[in-house]
Amino acid sequence: MRSYYIAGNWKMHKTVAESVTLAQELVEQLKTCKHKVMIAPAFTALSAVAQAIRGSSIVLGAQNMGPEAQGAHTGEISPLMLKDLGVQAVILGHSERRHSYLETDELINRKVLLALEYGLQPILCVGETLAEREAGNLEAVVGSQVRDGLKGVALSSLGSVTIAYEPVWAIGTGKTATPEDADAVHAYIRQVLAGLYNQKAADSMIIQYGGSVKPDNVSQLMAKPNIDGALVGGASLKVDSFSPIALFV
Ligand code: PEP
């Protein structure tokens, strides 16, 4: 059986106490989970959630990270600070960062390289808007996000990187790409990766799908040959919806 990587992005939700409660519930529910599971609470809850999941197989993730290790960068969080709290993975280039906070591929690439330098596992998010898809630019947009995001990433570091394909029009909207559509884009991403590295590296890369993944659509999505996991937003906020996604098979 393939091994999948299911990640929950809690975004700007939950107090520290609420985050701890959810983390404790997940530890309990996911004891038999065969897949890699990551949860990314708000920065304010990372420390408490780290304690709550200690001893379990759940990986602690952050939702973003600044592009420098330290210095005069008011309001930013560095990889050193994340590591200090026990964070192992970091979501980078989420479409909300790209579109609401105008993060560029160049900035995201700096973060990817920095995360790897400090031993964090980046999840590089890519995805097209509806306008880009309808204009026939899906492959150009997603291809350049992958190429630019991975610029300078050595083949030897690629095993620490996950790609998340998240069509922007499917995030938080209840609209999901059909499993066939999503699989076709994942196959295209693998082709780009094979061009950048080699076929073996491309085949072993984990490519998550994100965009309104729910307990009732996860199995069909994960059954596709190029989909290796999920990055889950809304449905990751409740144990009753995230557990069945993580335990889908
Ligand atoms: C996300 O924010 O990465 C996401 C996929 O959100 P949702 O599952 O709510 O669409």
Side-chain angles (χ1 to χ4, degrees), residues 199-219:
Q199 193 62 51
K200 188 165 170 261
D203 289 344
S204 50
M205 188 102 190
I206 291 184
I207 307 178
Q208 297 173 324
Y209 170 78
S212 300
V213 175
K214 306 277 183 246
D216 62 1
N217 60 22
V218 64
S219 301

Side-chain angles (χ1 to χ4, degrees), residues 9 11 94-96 125 166 170-175 209-214 231-236:
N9 173 10
K11 307 196 182 183
H94 190 279
S95 66
E96 286 151 17
C125 302
E166 300 206 302
I171 296 179
T173 58
K175 290 184 194 150
Y209 170 78
S212 300
V213 175
K214 306 277 183 246
L231 179 53
V232 186
S236 72

Side-chain angles (χ1 to χ4, degrees), residues 24-25 101 107 137 164 232 242:
Q24 287 168 338
E25 289 169 340
Y101 298 94
L107 176 69
N137 293 333
V232 186
F242 192 60

